[in-house]
Amino acid sequence: MTTETAPITIYVDADACPVKDEIYRVAIRHGLPVIVVAGGFIRVPDDPLITRIAAGSGMDAADDWIAERTGPDDIVITADIPLASRCVKAGSAVIAPNGKPFTEASIGMTLAVRNLMTDLRSSGEVTGGPRSFTPRDRSTFLSTLDTTIRRAQRQRAARVQQQS
């Protein structure tokens, strides 16, 4: 398959993803394949559009699996900032489970803040943790995912039209 005929694919960094069910519903509505990647076995719906990958238990195995395969027109769902950075560099649209998009313009600062917080925690500072996931986060995620899919479809259609 060429890039123009390969479907837009949604990759899910699934081990701690709170919006998997929402991803499945939206993807099925749009007829898009979903690849659910986890370190080990994870239950997914029995649907031909949904594929489960057990990437292995090695450090960052699921992240590496996703980063090696994703590219332009693909959508990646992850809360992992280093993985988001790798996928943005590959040209993918990347969304956090709370609906926050990671972009070329924002990923550098996001990664820097993440590294700073990691350094602070390793030096003994108490920094708290991530805030709780809320119903508003779920709603924002659904809206962002739908918008991102529509944008990817428009961009692909425009590119295919330019080539013909």
Side-chain angles (χ1 to χ4, degrees), residues 16-30:
C17 182
V19 290
K20 290 187 286 289
D21 290 336
E22 290 80 0
I23 295 166
Y24 304 147
R25 283 196 311 270
V26 172
I28 290 167
R29 186 175 74 233
H30 286 278

Side-chain angles (χ1 to χ4, degrees), residues 13-74:
D13 182 11
D15 283 324
C17 182
V19 290
K20 290 187 286 289
D21 290 336
E22 290 80 0
I23 295 166
Y24 304 147
R25 283 196 311 270
V26 172
I28 290 167
R29 186 175 74 233
H30 286 278
L32 299 177
V34 177
I35 300 177
V36 181
V37 185
F41 177 83
I42 190 164
R43 187 172 301 282
V44 300
D46 185 20
D47 188 288
L49 287 173
I50 301 171
T51 303
R52 171 186 47 228
I53 301 293
S57 59
M59 184 74 146
D60 296 327
D63 296 356
D64 291 342
W65 195 97
I66 292 169
E68 290 166 4
R69 287 161 180 83
T70 189
D73 293 334
D74 292 328

Side-chain angles (χ1 to χ4, degrees), residues 3 13 21 31 34-35 39 52 70 77 80-81 88 92 145 148:
T3 305
D13 182 11
D21 290 336
V34 177
I35 300 177
R52 171 186 47 228
T70 189
I77 312 301
D80 184 287
I81 296 168
V88 165
S92 301
L145 179 58
T148 302

